[in-house]
Amino acid sequence: MLDTKLKNSSDRKYAGLFVSIIILALLAAAVLLFYKPIVENAKGFIKLDESDKEKELAEYKDSEEVGFLEDLFKGNYVLRWEMERQINNKKLDASEVFLNGNQSTDVDDINTDDGDNFETFKSDFSDLMNSWYYDFFYNTLSNYGLEYYAVDNKTGRYLTNTGAKLSAFLGKEEMEEAEKLKKEYYFYAVIQFDEDGNPKIPFYQGISKENANTYLGFNLTQEMVDRSWNNAAWYASRVKALAGMKVVYAIKSEASLQQYFLDQIGYTNYHIINEAYNRGGAAYLYAVSLILVILLGFLLPLIKPLRIGEGIEAKIPVEIWGLGLGFTVPLFEDGISTLIKETVTGDLFDLNRNHIMTEGMARVVVNSFNILIWLAIFLIWFAAALSIRQFFIKRPVRFLKENTLTFRFLFWLGRVIKKGYGYAITFDMSRKDDRKLVLLLGGNMLLMLLFCAMGGAGVIGAIVYTCVLFYFVNKYKSRITSEYRTIMQAAGRISEGNLDITIEKNLGVFNPLKEELMSVQQGFRKAVLEETKSQKMKTELITNVSHDLKTPLTAIITYVDLLKNKELTEEQRDSYVETLDRKALRLKILIEDLFEMSKAASNTITMNPVEVDLTAMIKQIHFELSDKIAGAGLDFRVRVPEDKVIVWLDSDKTYRIFENLIINMCKYALPGSRAYLDMEVLDKQVSITVRNISQAELDFTGEEIVERFVRGDKARNSEGSGLGLAIAKSFTELQRGSFHVITDGDLFKVIVGFMILEA
């Protein structure tokens, strides 16, 4: 019945999950119905955006061209600087090449508008030129594939990075070579500087005239002004102009010159298409789908038989479904528009165009792929909705603890820190604990070294660390003091005789002392109980011995007085003598049992172990006591192995053990009932069980009946000393055996065990 319920419960759980997937799959399939309307709407928006796109691209192309010419302007100074280094054959600073060497000492010359002097300007100018140098050689040349040829008009010294004869653009006698080069290069420009540093561009190709004129307007003074050096005239008088120099720049590939522009064309086209598809309905489709899936995530769990949201899907950590949501956002921006467009145009996978399969089969594959993509997105949203729903069902703390990895980590970290703190403040005073001390001091030393390495910040850190350390040490000291007082109070109460006190509180470093104190307390309590028990037993011993000795002794005295009567007949006299003999014998047995029990208790009894065949001994005892068993009216059944069972025991004491057990059975077993003696060999042990049904109610435990002078009949009407079971138990334990008495209702059972002597 229970298995059927569990199975039905599990089936309903998986049925709910199956229903959820089916609903989401149908919703994913419904999304495909909106593809064609979105594509048609997007085409109209793309046409509207074409003119704006062309205007935007033209502006971008023009700005890119101006930026390129600005890089060439900076390259002129870099090439002039590098050329001067080669002419002078030494490494010159930019300020040595471009700044005038005679500075005025007038106040107006030294102090600029913002209070900076010439040396500051000189340093800043060098930094500017160094940055230009790096950008030209490490960025401009490689980004554009730029080739250059620069020549000094006065010395004829030139610099170039190409094997092409770009100097042909500078000489009239090489016009044929120049015409040939013009066909090889998409862009070239010849820049000339006269002796006054005035630039001009006599020949160029690949840039507009407007931008060429813009280039001629670049000047270094404006660059310095843009760097917050506001006195333009002051700078112009101190910076040398580029003079007596010609530079040829050339680029072979249009793509190299307009790489960023072409990238912008692709980006703009992509942006326009995406924007058109979003305005055409893709964004609305995505948003409506999200809302519907979130609603399903909140509403479907309300259908209780489906049991949706009760499994692992409701326990997905926030971080995981958060990453899933984070994945679906860029997927929409970068992929959904393309997926819709290529699905409608048939470009997705190109299965039918490549004759891999028929058009119908290709359409099925493409639609299935779309459904799987949307279903994956919907499953992520659905799981997120189920998890968010848990926030409103659970308490916030429980939600954070069960549904976030961050808080699980923080809780784990807190436990680790707490455990580490407990480890740090707990010392076992009972043993040497140098390792922990070394770890603590070593960690403190590492922190101090770290603070020392941090300089000024380390001083502040050391102060804060010391304050925190003082707080915890002081707190620990207060705790130690409290724990010390607790254990001292407990010791005082124990010394006053209160042996029932317990210390539940964790005493930290004093825990070993607490455990020892509790052990002493338990020892005292045990000693008191033993002493109390001993006193009680002594009292009972005196009472029972007095009673058991007095009964036969009284009978003996009585019958002795009767024998003094001379008028007794011979028959009466014989009867009295027989009674005296019986009572004297009982008194003798009682005294002998008392002596044997006393020896066993004081451990002074002598054992003479020999090899004993336990099987034969029990058969012998059974035979010798058969009359007594028959007189008790018992159906006594003995079951022992056929083979010998050899044990190393004192034969007399062992005989007495089983004799006492059988005699005890005869005294107290219910007449007419069955009694049993079973011997069983288990591995290296032999177990003998004697069991019978008691004629009186068993209102005592197995431990109580083996006490000295305890009888089954508390009225002590039956004959015996009450030492039979106690003697049997003592003799068994003295021979390293086991002796157990078990009572169950009216069933009385004794189990005796000994080790078998190995062959």
Side-chain angles (χ1 to χ4, degrees):
M1 184 75 175
L2 181 59
D3 291 342
T4 304
K5 289 183 178 180
L6 291 174
K7 183 178 180 181
N8 292 337
S9 176
S10 177
D11 290 344
R12 286 199 300 272
K13 178 180 177 181
Y14 289 112
L17 182 60
F18 179 74
V19 169
S20 302
I21 294 175
I22 292 297
I23 294 174
L24 294 177
L26 292 174
L27 183 60
V31 168
L32 272 62
L33 300 175
F34 297 91
Y35 274 20
K36 286 187 178 180
I38 291 173
V39 171
E40 294 301 322
N41 293 338
K43 289 179 180 178
F45 287 113
I46 290 173
K47 289 180 180 179
L48 292 175
D49 292 338
E50 284 294 335
S51 58
D52 293 337
K53 180 191 76 170
E54 293 177 0
K55 183 179 179 181
E56 181 182 346
L57 290 174
E59 292 176 356
Y60 186 81
K61 180 179 180 181
D62 188 66
S63 65
E64 284 291 309
E65 200 169 274
V66 172
F68 167 68
L69 293 175
E70 187 175 357
D71 288 337
L72 297 187
F73 166 76
K74 298 175 182 178
N76 295 333
Y77 284 90
V78 172
L79 293 175
R80 175 83 264 183
W81 181 12
E82 186 66 21
M83 197 179 299
E84 287 294 329
R85 285 180 169 182
Q86 294 190 14
I87 292 173
N88 293 277
N89 196 25
K90 65 178 181 178
K91 189 174 182 179
L92 298 173
D93 188 73
S95 62
E96 298 178 86
V97 176
F98 297 108
L99 298 185
N100 292 320
N102 54 336
Q103 285 81 35
S104 171
T105 57
D106 294 340
V107 174
D108 291 338
D109 289 335
I110 294 176
N111 298 309
T112 59
D113 291 345
D114 58 358
D116 292 306
N117 57 28
F118 181 79
E119 290 299 325
T120 305
F121 166 71
K122 178 179 175 181
S123 175
D124 187 57
F125 182 84
S126 295
D127 291 341
L128 175 66
M129 285 297 136
N130 286 331
S131 67
W132 285 8
Y133 186 94
Y134 181 86
D135 287 341
F136 181 76
F137 281 112
Y138 294 98
N139 293 325
T140 304
L141 295 181
S142 59
N143 289 342
Y144 296 105
L146 183 65
E147 299 176 15
Y148 65 83
Y149 175 85
V151 61
D152 181 68
N153 295 340
K154 185 182 294 184
T155 63
R157 183 66 67 92
Y158 68 90
L159 292 174
T160 185
N161 70 335
T162 178
K165 199 173 181 181
L166 295 182
S167 60
F169 285 111
L170 301 176
K172 294 181 179 180
E173 66 280 0
E174 296 177 305
M175 290 299 293
E176 184 178 349
E177 181 69 23
E179 290 299 325
K180 183 179 178 181
L181 289 173
K182 289 178 183 179
K183 295 178 182 179
E184 294 181 9
Y185 290 91
Y186 169 76
F187 162 81
Y188 68 87
V190 177
I191 305 173
Q192 298 178 349
F193 297 90
D194 60 19
E195 296 302 323
D196 295 326
N198 298 314
K200 65 178 180 177
I201 308 178
F203 310 107
Y204 62 87
Q205 177 180 290
I207 59 174
S208 65
K209 184 177 180 180
E210 292 78 8
N211 287 334
N213 292 331
T214 300
Y215 170 81
L216 296 176
F218 292 152
N219 63 84
L220 183 59
T221 301
Q222 186 59 42
E223 286 287 334
M224 299 306 297
V225 171
D226 291 343
R227 289 172 67 86
S228 300
W229 293 81
N230 300 321
N231 193 337
W234 189 85
Y235 307 133
S237 65
R238 282 160 174 75
V239 179
K240 296 177 183 179
L242 288 174
M245 175 182 174
K246 299 186 184 94
V247 184
V248 179
Y249 294 107
I251 298 176
K252 289 183 177 180
S253 170
E254 178 184 5
S256 298
L257 177 61
Q258 299 184 358
Q259 178 183 357
Y260 294 105
F261 170 68
L262 295 175
D263 291 343
Q264 183 64 23
I265 291 176
Y267 172 76
T268 304
N269 288 335
Y270 175 78
H271 178 72
I272 288 174
I273 292 173
N274 270 4
E275 184 65 23
Y277 273 83
N278 288 340
R279 291 163 64 190
Y284 302 110
L285 177 64
Y286 202 76
V288 171
S289 299
L290 174 62
I291 293 172
L292 287 176
V293 173
I294 294 296
L295 286 175
L296 286 173
F298 275 85
L299 296 178
L300 283 179
L302 298 179
I303 305 175
K304 297 298 183 181
L306 294 179
R307 298 188 63 193
I308 297 174
E310 297 182 9
I312 191 174
E313 68 274 8
K315 297 181 180 179
I316 298 176
V318 171
E319 293 83 355
I320 293 179
W321 61 255
L323 288 175
L325 289 178
F327 169 75
T328 61
V329 172
L331 179 64
F332 166 71
E333 295 179 349
D334 300 333
I336 294 299
S337 298
T338 303
L339 181 66
I340 294 174
K341 177 174 68 68
E342 293 190 358
T343 299
V344 173
T345 59
D347 295 332
L348 190 65
F349 301 146
D350 287 333
L351 296 177
N352 58 325
R353 294 186 183 183
N354 295 328
H355 305 289
I356 298 175
M357 55 182 66
T358 65
E359 183 177 353
M361 293 176 62
R363 179 59 57 186
V364 170
V365 172
V366 169
N367 288 342
S368 300
F369 176 76
N370 276 267
I371 292 174
L372 287 176
I373 291 294
W374 283 103
L375 179 60
I377 295 173
F378 290 169
L379 285 174
I380 292 173
W381 292 348
F382 189 72
L386 291 177
S387 183
I388 294 172
R389 182 175 176 271
Q390 294 298 312
F391 180 81
F392 299 98
I393 297 175
K394 303 175 181 178
R395 291 178 297 178
V397 174
R398 182 186 169 194
F399 175 82
L400 293 174
K401 187 176 181 180
E402 295 181 358
N403 292 73
T404 62
L405 294 176
T406 303
F407 273 78
R408 290 181 191 177
F409 172 76
L410 292 177
F411 284 132
W412 172 82
L413 184 63
R415 289 194 299 269
V416 170
I417 293 175
K418 185 177 180 180
K419 186 176 180 181
Y421 177 73
Y423 173 80
I425 66 173
T426 304
F427 284 87
D428 188 352
M429 298 298 187
S430 63
R431 63 186 181 88
K432 200 173 182 181
D433 207 0
D434 291 343
R435 186 171 65 89
K436 184 182 292 187
L437 192 61
V438 169
L439 287 175
L440 293 175
L441 294 178
N444 186 73
M445 182 185 70
L446 289 176
L447 281 175
M448 291 295 103
L449 291 175
L450 179 62
F451 289 139
C452 291
M454 294 170 63
V459 174
I460 298 175
I463 294 173
V464 173
Y465 169 72
T466 303
C467 294
V468 172
L469 188 63
F470 172 78
Y471 169 78
F472 282 106
V473 170
N474 187 58
K475 184 178 179 180
Y476 184 57
K477 172 182 170 294
S478 301
R479 177 180 170 183
I480 288 283
T481 303
S482 174
E483 292 167 353
Y484 175 76
R485 289 173 180 169
T486 299
I487 203 159
M488 289 303 294
Q489 290 172 358
R493 294 174 67 180
I494 290 174
S495 67
E496 293 172 357
N498 186 353
L499 301 181
D500 295 324
I501 185 174
T502 58
I503 306 176
E504 302 294 339
K505 182 179 177 183
N506 181 9
L507 298 183
V509 296
F510 295 111
N511 275 331
L513 183 58
K514 179 186 79 173
E515 293 173 1
E516 289 296 327
L517 187 61
M518 292 296 98
S519 297
V520 171
Q521 179 201 34
Q522 293 298 325
F524 281 160
R525 180 186 294 173
K526 184 178 180 181
V528 169
L529 291 175
E530 288 292 333
E531 182 63 24
T532 303
K533 183 178 179 181
S534 177
Q535 291 295 333
K536 181 180 178 182
M537 287 181 64
K538 287 179 181 179
T539 302
E540 291 179 352
L541 174 64
I542 294 172
T543 302
N544 293 334
V545 169
S546 299
H547 180 275
D548 290 338
L549 291 177
K550 182 179 179 181
T551 300
L553 189 60
T554 301
I556 291 171
I557 294 172
T558 301
Y559 281 97
V560 168
D561 289 340
L562 290 174
L563 286 173
K564 291 179 181 179
N565 186 356
K566 296 181 179 181
E567 297 179 358
L568 291 176
T569 64
E570 195 65 29
E571 292 180 357
Q572 288 177 325
R573 188 178 300 276
D574 291 340
S575 174
Y576 292 163
V577 170
E578 182 181 351
T579 301
L580 282 173
D581 182 63
R582 188 172 65 253
K583 296 297 182 181
L585 181 61
R586 180 183 175 188
L587 185 61
K588 176 185 176 185
I589 292 172
L590 180 63
I591 294 172
E592 287 177 350
D593 286 349
L594 186 61
F595 281 144
E596 283 197 0
M597 193 63 227
S598 176
K599 289 180 181 180
S602 61
N603 218 4
T604 57
I605 194 168
T606 303
M607 291 290 177
N608 300 302
V610 294
E611 290 186 6
V612 177
D613 181 3
L614 208 54
T615 302
M617 176 179 284
I618 289 177
K619 289 180 179 179
Q620 179 184 352
I621 296 172
H622 181 211
F623 176 75
E624 292 181 358
L625 297 178
S626 57
D627 292 341
K628 197 171 187 66
I629 295 171
L634 297 177
D635 181 6
F636 187 52
R637 302 184 180 184
V638 178
R639 293 176 288 196
V640 295
E642 295 296 331
D643 298 332
K644 293 182 178 181
V645 178
I646 306 301
V647 290
W648 185 255
L649 300 173
D650 185 309
S651 58
D652 293 337
K653 304 298 187 296
T654 306
Y655 187 95
R656 183 71 182 278
I657 292 171
F658 295 108
E659 181 185 37
N660 284 3
L661 292 178
I662 294 175
I663 291 174
N664 185 76
M665 176 190 69
C666 294
K667 287 181 180 179
Y668 301 109
L670 179 66
S673 64
R674 283 188 291 272
Y676 300 89
L677 186 151
D678 297 319
M679 181 188 295
E680 184 179 7
V681 177
L682 300 172
D683 195 12
K684 298 180 180 180
Q685 288 187 332
V686 58
S687 175
I688 302 94
T689 303
V690 179
R691 51 198 170 98
N692 61 268
I693 301 299
S694 174
Q695 61 181 329
E697 181 182 357
L698 299 179
D699 55 353
F700 49 78
T701 64
E703 290 79 11
E704 292 174 344
I705 195 63
V706 294
E707 294 290 349
R708 286 167 286 181
F709 292 99
V710 175
R711 291 184 185 173
D713 61 329
K714 295 186 177 180
R716 309 187 71 81
N717 294 320
S718 61
E719 291 187 359
S721 62
L723 296 174
L725 289 179
I727 291 173
K729 183 174 185 294
S730 297
F731 285 176
T732 301
E733 292 177 347
L734 284 172
Q735 299 183 93
R736 298 182 181 180
S738 60
F739 190 96
H740 300 287
V741 176
I742 301 173
T743 58
D744 184 4
D746 291 334
L747 176 64
F748 183 83
K749 180 165 62 175
V750 179
I751 302 174
V752 180
F754 292 110
M755 296 297 296
I756 297 175
L757 184 64
E758 295 183 7

